[in-house]
DNA sequence: CTGAAAGCGCTTACAG
DNA sequence: CTGAAAGCGCTTACAG
């Protein structure tokens, strides 16, 4: 059962493969192919269920309609949620996605990028892994369509889809202040990642504006165990705290573990706000207020940006930056302080 | 900056592309190519950083070294965990994975399968979606390498990687009985999926063996809200229950929601065991005992099975069935009944 | 031991 | 309005 090829179609109709190709690619009108012939071709294509060989098309055109997607860990809910939606949109547009996880291994990330190149992907979507800045700059220099998301790297000029980190933590901080909290801590990681610095800045500026005292703890992240220890020491050293904001999902997780280890009760002992929302927060007692990243909106903006990029010629090089607003889900963990 | 091709190598060395091709594909010895020439070729390949064009190779050989992976929802932790490990193994072996989510939509699933075919994937890995039985049977009939996992479909002859469902729930039930529980409920979905029936059977047989009374509730799954309602009614109608086993992760989630809605306390009011383990269970108060599916082992067995399948000729058609054992994580939610 | 050539299945510049 | 032919970059049967 051999697949039908364009040759079979041409032969059966006694015409050239050129004409068949034009009809199939919707260029019949443009190429002045008669309506009668066009119809005959389309009918036979339908009858034989002819599907062009994508490999041949790709070899000829250099386009694969495949997009490479590179993140730290595809099994993280944030990334897999985005991956799912991106894949859906891509499928609708006739594209497919190759997903890969770098596991925070720069060497591996470079290899994976090379694999994408070897596979002739048409475009790249990445949460830029550390150490890949130069590689990606080179890639962009070759006019490869690249869309970066999640993290912004000042040094790398590219199209970005990010969230409004600073405004989000500013809003969260103001919310806690409104609800009567005065000694609010911000726990983050000791990182130069811009999005983490922005989150911190949103907190610090709001605290300053209200003339409150800032309590910032920068965790030196390695394992969960050491993080819990660091957090416990911080909480013990600052007994006057009445609220805490955790700067990212994994920090929140270890924060909750610290609560458990120290026998601290959410809200009753310390109000809690989490940057990043996830299912566990709904099951906490009481449920935890969170800044949610809108996965679908992020995914849709990534694809929109990339599709525009794919249409562009290298002449009009211009980088876009889409800022997607987060959603603030207020739950009981940040409830008003009782008078 | 054009890519170097096999022609460039041949031209620079004044030899035929045939020889270059043989050397590159490691068939120099077999083809009696002199060591001197082999070395010259390899040196130039290294110097020019020549990478064969995968598209041309694929067109010529019909092999793409791409594998299609089809599941309900790639953003579910179970699937994304497996996807991650599969992708890693595949990358090491020179394969790439195309992931897709069917979203429980049969029409879409058939389309996605067609896309895989159009892309000439070398093999398929699927948690068989409902309604795709016939399509997959046809696919297998064409000798396409197909590995199914997660769910077993009696009607579909194929290679399978599954877990020991029945033994797992039998063990969990025995554990509860050992710990002094007598009125143990099993909550599952009203489904003909074999793995769900096996889980139920493991419970029922163990209950019968100990001459206890079975309490089985089959949820007519639609939304979370209706499920919670059904569960609440079931709990209210069986006030004598002292333990419950939830038959799958999403059932556990709605079970925990029901606990919350009814103000029931885990273990104190009702002991709990979950089929499937996930992060939330660690954060429950007290933490919930769970049957964990070993994602890595499942992924590794899937890839092993598939790679063997890819080596096989259509002559030796034989289907394998790998049963991966689950891991029983005992936590406080099933603690011994106090005397 | 090595090479010329056909062919995988397309697209497209060119010719008429 | 339509077609013959080159070529994308490989692999491999065949010849010598």
């Amino acid at each position: 059962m051999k697949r039908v090829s364009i040759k079979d179609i041409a032969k059966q109709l006694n015409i050239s493969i050129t004409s068949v190709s034009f009809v199939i690619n919707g260029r019949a009108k443009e190429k002045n192919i008669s309506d009668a012939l066009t119809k005959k071709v389309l009918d036979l294509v339908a009858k034989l269920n002819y599907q062009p060989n994508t490999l041949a098309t790709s070899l000829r055109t250099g386009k694969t309609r495949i997009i490479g997607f590179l993140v730290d860990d595809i099994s993280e809910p944030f990334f897999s949620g985005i991956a799912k939606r991106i894949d859906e949109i891509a499928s609708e547009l006739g594209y497919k996605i190759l997903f890969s996880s770098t596991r925070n291994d720069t060497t591996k990330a470079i290899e994976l990028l090379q694999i994408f190149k070897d596979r002739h992907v048409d475009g790249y979507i990445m949460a830029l892994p550390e150490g890949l800045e130069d590689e990606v700059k080179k890639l962009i220099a070759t006019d490869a369509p690249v869309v970066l998301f999640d993290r912004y790297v000042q040094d790398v000029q590219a199209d970005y889809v990010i969230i409004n980190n600073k405004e989000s933590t500013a809003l969260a901080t103001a919310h806690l202040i409104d609800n009567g909290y005065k000694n609010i801590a911000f726990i983050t990681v000791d990182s130069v990642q811009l999005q983490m610095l922005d989150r911190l800045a949103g907190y610090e500026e709001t605290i300053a504006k209200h003339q409150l005292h800032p309590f910032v703890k920068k965790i030196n992240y390695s394992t969960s165990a050491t993080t819990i220890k660091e957090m416990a020491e911080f909480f013990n050293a600052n007994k006057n705290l009445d609220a805490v904001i955790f700067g990212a999902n994994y920090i929140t997780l270890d924060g909750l573990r610290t609560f458990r280890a120290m026998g601290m009760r959410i809200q009753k002992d310390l109000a809690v706000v989490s940057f990043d929302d996830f299912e566990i927060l709904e099951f906490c007692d009481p449920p935890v207020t969170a800044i949610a990243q809108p996965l679908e909106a992020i995914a849709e903006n990534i694809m929109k940006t990339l599709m525009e990029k794919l249409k562009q010629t290298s002449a009009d090089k211009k980088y876009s930056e889409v800022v997607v607003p987060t959603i603030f889900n207020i739950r009981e963990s940040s409830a008003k302080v009782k008078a």
Side-chain angles (χ1 to χ4, degrees), chain A:
Chain A
M1 200 181 80
K2 224 173 128 290
R3 269 179 80 108
V4 279
S5 79
I6 196 168
K7 241 191 240 170
D8 302 322
I9 307 274
K11 202 172 287 172
Q12 287 201 34
L13 293 176
N14 250 314
I15 58 174
S16 75
I17 59 169
T18 308
S19 302
V20 179
S21 175
F22 286 149
V23 171
I24 287 165
N25 291 307
R27 301 174 60 192
K29 280 266 178 297
E30 170 194 340
K31 291 293 174 178
N32 289 319
I33 294 182
S34 69
D35 288 355
L37 186 56
T38 303
K39 185 171 173 348
K40 276 210 289 192
V41 172
L42 291 178
D43 285 351
L44 189 58
V45 162
K47 187 177 152 217
L48 299 183
N49 192 24
Y50 166 69
Q51 304 276 8
N53 184 319
T54 51
L55 298 171
T57 308
S58 292
L59 176 59
R60 191 48 237 243
T61 61
K63 301 289 170 206
T64 53
R65 298 187 83 81
I66 289 182
I67 292 161
F69 182 89
L70 196 64
V71 296
D72 300 334
D73 181 350
I74 188 67
S75 72
E76 273 184 34
F78 174 66
F79 290 129
S80 67
I82 286 184
K84 176 189 178 186
R85 185 75 186 115
I86 281 185
D87 183 54
E88 276 181 1
I89 301 172
S91 290
E92 282 163 18
L93 298 171
Y95 283 84
K96 287 307 288 177
I97 311 280
L98 286 179
F99 297 101
S100 277
S101 311
T102 66
R103 284 213 167 187
N104 297 316
D105 175 341
T106 305
T107 313
K108 199 173 163 190
I110 292 175
E111 278 174 26
L112 289 168
L113 206 58
Q114 183 59 48
I115 291 177
F116 283 162
K117 280 188 220 160
D118 287 348
R119 295 277 183 180
H120 292 85
V121 300
D122 288 350
Y124 301 79
I125 299 171
M126 326 181 17
L128 191 57
E130 261 178 64
L132 233 65
E133 293 80 3
D134 286 345
E135 298 290 327
V136 168
K137 274 197 240 173
K138 273 188 239 162
L139 191 60
I140 294 172
T142 67
D143 285 332
V146 176
V147 176
L148 302 181
F149 75 104
D150 188 46
R151 57 204 70 161
Y152 184 81
V153 185
Q154 223 156 5
D155 192 30
V156 179
Q157 288 239 22
D159 288 73
Y160 280 95
V161 174
I162 46 177
I163 54 164
N164 58 342
N165 287 291
K166 194 165 147 185
E167 290 76 9
S168 301
T169 46
L171 181 66
T173 309
H175 160 75
L176 285 168
I177 296 171
D178 281 351
N179 275 1
Y181 298 96
K182 296 206 167 359
N183 296 314
I184 304 167
F186 190 87
I187 303 191
T188 181
V189 282
D190 195 2
S191 159
V192 294
Q193 285 188 11
L194 223 63
Q195 83 272 20
M196 296 310 287
L197 296 178
D198 279 349
R199 293 177 193 180
L200 177 58
Y203 159 84
E204 283 179 329
E205 288 178 14
T206 308
I207 289 290
K209 201 167 67 187
H210 288 80
Q211 302 183 321
L212 292 172
H213 184 68
F215 299 85
V216 175
K217 171 68 186 168
K218 293 186 183 181
I219 303 276
N220 196 333
Y221 226 91
S222 61
T223 68
S224 217
T226 60
T227 301
I228 291 171
K229 196 157 155 269
E230 276 196 61
M231 281 198 198
E233 281 166 12
F234 174 72
F235 288 142
N236 278 327
N238 295 279
K239 291 284 190 194
N240 57 335
L241 291 179
D242 53 16
V244 59
I245 300 174
F246 295 114
N249 48 7
Y250 53 97
I251 304 173
T252 302
L253 274 179
D254 282 329
L256 293 176
R257 291 193 180 104
T258 307
F259 268 60
R260 157 158 303 188
M262 297 182 67
M264 288 163 64
R265 294 164 305 168
I266 295 168
Q267 206 273 327
K268 290 177 194 84
D269 295 322
L270 204 57
V272 176
V273 172
S274 165
F275 203 111
D276 285 329
D277 200 1
F278 42 97
E279 228 165 18
I280 291 176
L281 301 183
E282 176 205 343
F283 281 94
C284 285
D285 185 22
V288 174
T289 297
I291 297 162
Q293 300 202 43
L295 302 189
E296 303 231 327
I298 294 172
E300 283 154 17
N301 277 289
I302 289 171
M303 284 306 286
K304 204 173 133 204
T305 305
L306 185 60
M307 288 301 132
E308 271 162 24
K309 208 78 193 160
L310 286 171
K311 271 186 276 175
Q312 272 174 33
T313 65
S314 62
D316 40 28
K317 244 198 225 180
K318 234 179 60 186
Y319 300 116
S320 71
E321 190 177 312
V322 179
V323 178
V324 182
T326 57
I327 299 161
F328 193 42
N329 291 324
I330 299 178
R331 304 201 180 95
E332 292 164 51
S333 72
S334 60
K336 254 195 176 50
V337 174
K338 279 172 196 146

